[in-house]
Amino acid sequence: MILNGSCIGLGYFAVAAAFGMLAAGVGLSPELALLISVTNLTSAGQFAGLALIGAGGSLIEIAATVFVINIRYVLMSLSLSQKLSSQVKFWQRFIIAHGVTDENFMVASLQEGELSFRYLVGLMTLPIIGWGGGTYLGAAATSLLPAIVQDGLGIALYGMFIALIIPAVRKSLEILAVVAIAVGLSCLF
């Protein structure tokens, strides 16, 4: 659990630093970028929202876009709720739901047996710290890095996702088939 959370947290740190840099680039303070990150925890939604902020989008446009991008977390949370121990209290489910990300979902889904509140909070804590810390440091350090380095950090999210998919693909032909179909459709579109 700690090893998984640490690996995810380190991966999030790099991606969040890129988000922080972009946030500073559109004029957000490091504190505001941090507030967005610790309340949203959705890299794709955050990057899309940030692009709309930079383009002068309305609050309704930003909210609708982020909602549509993040609707998948409802399905992930529903799936994880089927694996929760019966001892997980109603209020604890809200805390768990806040920390559901693609990577945390994958690790928790592959876990055998029931999931406890303690396990999920342990899994999610270091990624949340990595995401928040990376965002703040990225926003604060923007003026120190050349533009080419800032641009290169944007692909870190894809690298982290691939690193999480590869072990699952090695263990399951079904997952390999789903990944192959997804890659094929992505290339087609």
Side-chain angles (χ1 to χ4, degrees), residues 116-134:
S116 69
F117 176 71
R118 185 176 177 200
Y119 170 82
L120 288 168
V121 167
L123 174 64
M124 296 169 178
T125 298
L126 290 174
I128 290 169
I129 291 169
W131 189 255

Side-chain angles (χ1 to χ4, degrees), residues 17-99:
F19 172 77
M21 290 175 185
L22 292 172
V26 299
L28 300 181
S29 70
E31 294 78 16
L32 185 54
L34 175 62
L35 179 64
I36 291 169
S37 282
V38 298
T39 58
N40 200 14
L41 289 181
T42 64
S43 58
Q46 285 182 236
F47 280 101
L50 193 60
L52 288 171
I53 290 170
S58 72
L59 290 177
I60 292 174
E61 289 173 316
I62 295 167
T65 300
V66 171
F67 175 78
V68 168
I69 290 172
N70 293 335
I71 196 73
R72 70 185 186 279
Y73 294 114
V74 172
L75 299 174
M76 289 181 200
S77 294
L78 286 171
S79 177
L80 282 182
S81 73
Q82 304 303 306
K83 292 188 69 167
L84 289 179
S85 163
S86 61
Q87 296 178 346
V88 176
K89 296 175 178 53
F90 184 71
W91 65 269
Q92 292 173 326
R93 292 173 184 257
F94 285 100
I95 294 170
I96 292 168
H98 177 69

Side-chain angles (χ1 to χ4, degrees), residues 5 43 57 155-156 167 181:
S43 58
I155 63 166
I181 290 168

